[in-house]
Amino acid sequence: MSPSILISLVVVIAAFALFFYFSFKGVNLFLTVFACVTLVSLCTADGLTAIFTSFLPSVGTMFQQFFLLYTIGGAFGFCLMESGLGSAMAVHMIRIFGEKWIAVALFVITCLMMAAGVASYQYAILAIALPVLKRLNMSRKVALAAMSAGAGSVAYGTLVGMPNALNIAPTTYLGTTTMAGPVISLVCTAFSVVFIVGYLMLLTNRLKARGEGFVTYDDDPKVDQDENALPPAWKGYLCVAAIIGLSLLFQGFGIAAIQATTYA
């Protein structure tokens, strides 16, 4: 490895470490990004001017490419939750898995929400899950761990065909589709699911063994929807399947992944 490549790698790793450190410390996101960009820019041949010659044009290009995808996806997710379909799917999943498997149910629900583009899934899922956790006297750490695993693993990371930005971004530069690398994707997904489910069950048992139960807070989200008044859950599942299915169908016709998902 040449010295220039090694230095570049070290600087990029240092910038990532700085970003995570500032983020965990609660520093303003804009200031955090600016500090990391400045660090990387100072190590380039152009110096600080690289912010204008490299960073900003790249950010502008990414914003232009993904603007419609994020906007329409966010609107779809909002409609899914406002219509009650998101809550209907969550309630249905909890019934399927049973209350004792609440952690696995929340993991699956979050994966479905992420696949549908629902960014504000936390509020809806917590409002439904907290009464169940209270009945079981189970720590809310179980719900937080399950939702974190569902949001950042399968649906938004490893599973092939998912219509999200992380899966679509490489297609623009590699000329592939969201179905690229199906074997390694399914292997990683299977490993992720087994590991996450195992960890969630281990966490649940450890919290019970420590006697750590449910704690109520004044600002806990309230259930403001009657379960009997919710629409049929199958309509929500159909919506999620339609987004994924139509995206893959349009890509099959040769449409670029980002455009196909936007159309879907």
Side-chain angles (χ1 to χ4, degrees):
M1 182 181 296
S2 66
S4 60
I5 295 178
L6 180 61
I7 293 174
S8 299
L9 181 61
V10 170
V11 171
V12 170
I13 293 175
F16 271 112
L18 188 66
F19 176 82
F20 289 127
Y21 176 78
F22 283 159
S23 296
F24 279 116
K25 288 295 183 179
V27 179
N28 180 273
L29 182 60
F30 175 79
L31 294 178
T32 299
V33 172
F34 185 76
C36 296
V37 171
T38 300
L39 173 63
V40 175
S41 298
L42 289 174
C43 299
T44 64
D46 295 335
L48 280 178
T49 57
I51 296 176
F52 301 95
T53 59
S54 300
F55 177 71
L56 289 179
S58 299
V59 170
T61 301
M62 289 293 294
F63 180 79
Q64 181 182 14
Q65 289 179 337
F66 288 92
F67 174 75
L68 275 179
L69 181 66
Y70 281 128
T71 304
I72 297 177
F76 174 78
F78 176 80
C79 292
L80 195 67
M81 298 310 300
E82 285 297 305
S83 65
L85 288 174
S87 299
M89 287 190 291
V91 171
H92 185 249
M93 277 293 169
I94 292 176
R95 288 175 180 170
I96 290 177
F97 283 95
E99 293 185 350
K100 292 186 178 180
W101 288 80
I102 182 67
V104 179
L106 294 177
F107 165 64
V108 175
I109 293 166
T110 307
C111 288
L112 288 173
M113 295 294 103
M114 292 302 295
V118 181
S120 58
Y121 63 88
Q122 302 95 331
Y123 304 102
I125 296 177
L126 268 181
I128 296 168
L130 288 181
V132 178
L133 295 175
K134 186 175 182 179
R135 284 198 298 271
L136 299 174
N137 191 27
M138 188 178 296
S139 173
R140 66 182 65 213
K141 290 180 181 179
V142 174
L144 296 177
M147 290 192 296
S148 298
S153 61
V154 176
Y156 207 76
T158 60
L159 186 57
V160 67
M162 289 293 99
N164 56 62
L166 191 63
N167 196 25
I168 293 173
T171 64
T172 304
Y173 306 98
L174 301 178
T176 57
T177 69
T178 54
M179 290 298 293
V183 176
I184 187 65
S185 170
L186 294 176
V187 170
C188 292
T189 298
F191 175 82
S192 298
V193 171
V194 171
F195 177 83
I196 290 170
V197 171
Y199 172 77
L200 290 176
M201 300 313 298
L202 177 64
L203 176 65
T204 301
N205 293 331
R206 281 186 173 180
L207 292 174
K208 285 182 178 180
R210 292 209 305 249
E212 188 169 339
F214 186 83
V215 178
T216 302
Y217 297 99
D218 294 335
D219 58 349
D220 281 344
K222 309 297 182 183
V223 179
D224 55 0
Q225 288 180 310
D226 181 8
E227 291 186 9
N228 296 323
L230 292 174
W234 66 264
K235 292 184 178 181
Y237 299 134
L238 183 61
C239 286
V240 178
I243 293 294
I244 300 173
L246 288 174
S247 173
L248 296 177
L249 177 64
F250 294 151
Q251 290 179 66
F253 289 140
I255 300 176
I258 187 169
Q259 295 179 19
T261 305
T262 303
Y263 296 151

